[in-house]
Amino acid sequence: MSYTAYFESRREEHLNELSEWLRIPSISALSAHKPDIQAAAEWLSKTLNQAGLEHVTIHPTGGHPVVYADYLHAPGKPTLLVYGHYDVQPVDPLNLWTTPPFEPNIRDGKLYARGATDDKGQVFLHIKALEAVLKTEGTLPVNVKLCIEGEEEIGSVHLTDFLEANKELLAADAVLVSDTSLLERGRPAICTGLRGLCSLEVDVTTAATDLHSGSYGGAVPNALHALVSLLTSLHDDKGRVAVEGFYEGVPELSPMMREEFAKQGLDEEKIRESLGLSALYGEEGYTFVERVGARPTLELNGVYGGFQGEGSKTVIPKEAHAKITCRLVGDQNPQKVLDAIEAHLKARIQPGAEVHVRQMEKAFAFNIDPSNEFLQLAADAYGKVYGTRALFTKDGGSIPIMESFSRILQAPVVLMGFGLDDENLHAPDEHFNLENFDKGLLTIVEYLKSL
């Protein structure tokens, strides 16, 4: 039996199996679901064993466990490490789900459930692809290891330490990840970059108490004025970040990447209209796709202070606050970026006011050269199944653990996803298009064989 016939004859059985896993509410962020996390890991372990994989082990960590398995019977052939996660996001607000989040339901060719696309459904594709080749051919064309964690949705808190402690166990020629999306239906994409991240909170304080604006107005510093002045200084009038040293490590876009971005054919006017905007805005000299995927940002996520209730209160506030995040690219160092922003703010604070900065999250960007052979073969595998070769893209979001895999294991990371951007990841009515369930299985097998 061919692997294509194998998938066709067992499709209903496979979807029922996946639904079993999706019924387990493995929400990593909520301590009440710790038993469910363990149950999801045990379900995965059992399924990997049944698929024919070996050395299946549930490794405890300081938090939720990592599940490992392998099949190493192809001497002289490449070794792939498949990474994914079995934990899921919380489900609130429940009233916005059409059907309960942990009661999988198929409607209009889509499987609805929390975790259907992020990331249980996509991990499941790898298990069944490996099973199909093992059952139909008796062995795998390459060596395969799997590392599936239970903390991705809470920042992979313990995975970096696990990677450091198990370098030999996890050693591979490439890391294969399915936790991203196609460009759109029928248009596959391979992400070659994810932005890094850093964040900070800013507090500006002035007098010991709020002051009457009639008695003191015009004669004392106003915390809100001082903060707004600081925040305005962070960008120039062309949308560029004005912090000295901010762009250190930011690469210029290569002609190849500019061409790949252009191939996406993104309609900026359509985006503007869909967002209800009178105009798009960003760093001068770059397209929308380039700004989102390949340029760094400094964004204000929250600014607050003073009286915010109904009506008027003539007060000079004694404090004001801001929350700031930066998306980073290339070799930007998140610690250096935070230090540069803090120095910028402290050098520009108004007389009579004080600024206090709390540095918070720090994560490096992930980047890979799209000419890498493992990525080129992945693009070819998509082409054989989808009828169109994958484009190489960069994603504006952040998956910090990708940089850790690349750095610690010294292996290229192949982001070979099968989701779609409109599948409500992290939101009510999350779902997985079964067209990509079917094609994903075939694409993974084609990729294994191509190696």
Side-chain angles (χ1 to χ4, degrees), residues 101-414:
F102 296 111
E103 294 180 18
N105 184 268
I106 294 177
R107 303 191 300 276
D108 301 321
K110 303 170 184 177
L111 175 60
Y112 286 81
R114 173 61 87 225
T117 189
D118 184 22
D119 183 36
K120 287 178 179 175
Q122 297 201 56
V123 169
F124 188 78
L125 295 179
H126 288 277
I127 301 171
K128 290 303 160 184
L130 293 169
E131 177 186 286
V133 179
L134 283 169
K135 301 295 185 187
T136 59
E137 299 186 13
T139 190
L140 298 178
V142 293
N143 303 294
V144 173
K145 301 176 180 180
L146 293 95
C147 173
I148 315 298
E149 68 156 322
E151 295 186 331
E152 195 275 343
E153 300 293 6
I154 53 173
S156 300
V157 187
H158 297 94
L159 190 57
T160 298
D161 289 342
F162 182 82
L163 297 180
E164 291 279 11
N166 293 277
K167 287 182 188 177
E168 186 173 342
L169 176 70
L170 301 173
D173 295 294
V175 180
L176 180 59
V177 183
S178 295
D179 195 13
T180 51
S181 299
L182 306 181
L183 195 60
E184 59 186 32
R185 184 179 177 186
R187 296 186 70 196
I190 296 173
C191 178
T192 65
L194 292 159
R195 292 196 286 192
L197 179 72
C198 64
S199 66
L200 62 153
E201 293 185 353
V202 181
D203 302 316
V204 170
T205 57
T206 52
T209 184
D210 288 353
L211 298 170
H212 189 292
S213 66
S215 302
Y216 294 94
V220 298
N222 181 312
L224 277 172
H225 287 199
L227 177 63
V228 169
S229 176
L230 281 182
L231 300 181
T232 301
S233 75
L234 292 171
H235 292 85
D236 66 18
D237 60 2
K238 294 183 178 180
R240 187 174 172 86
V241 177
V243 175
E244 185 178 351
F246 180 83
Y247 288 94
E248 182 180 331
V250 176
E252 286 301 317
L253 273 174
S254 69
M256 178 183 177
M257 278 314 305
R258 281 197 181 260
E259 184 180 344
E260 288 293 316
F261 281 137
K263 285 179 184 176
Q264 294 183 28
L266 194 73
D267 186 336
E268 294 194 4
E269 182 62 16
K270 187 176 180 180
I271 291 176
R272 183 194 67 75
E273 290 179 355
S274 71
L275 296 175
L277 291 169
S278 59
L280 298 175
Y281 178 79
E283 187 182 3
E284 193 174 278
Y286 296 92
T287 66
F288 180 93
V289 178
E290 292 168 349
R291 289 169 182 166
V292 170
R295 297 299 294 170
T297 66
L298 188 158
E299 299 286 359
L300 307 181
N301 307 120
V303 179
Y304 53 101
F307 178 66
Q308 298 176 55
E310 185 178 355
S312 175
K313 183 182 181 184
T314 52
V315 65
I316 298 173
K318 72 182 184 76
E319 60 183 56
H321 314 275
K323 295 179 182 289
I324 298 173
T325 55
C326 299
R327 298 286 181 171
L328 310 177
V329 301
D331 294 322
Q332 280 182 295
N333 184 311
Q335 185 61 62
K336 286 186 177 181
V337 169
L338 287 172
D339 290 343
I341 296 171
E342 182 169 349
H344 178 99
L345 295 173
K346 288 182 174 178
R348 289 163 176 77
I349 189 66
Q350 285 183 3
E354 295 182 1
V355 62
H356 310 275
V357 175
R358 287 188 300 284
Q359 298 185 8
M360 300 173 71
E361 300 162 286
K362 294 187 282 284
F364 283 88
F366 160 74
N367 294 283
I368 185 169
D369 184 345
S371 66
N372 181 281
E373 185 179 11
F374 283 97
L375 273 73
Q376 290 294 322
L377 290 172
D380 291 340
Y382 275 117
K384 289 178 182 177
V385 176
Y386 282 84
T388 181
R389 196 170 188 267
L391 291 177
F392 295 105
T393 64
K394 289 187 181 292
D395 196 317
S398 305
I399 309 178
I401 201 62
M402 293 301 99
E403 186 274 337
S404 297
F405 271 107
S406 178
R407 172 173 47 83
I408 295 170
L409 300 184
Q410 291 294 295
V413 177
V414 183

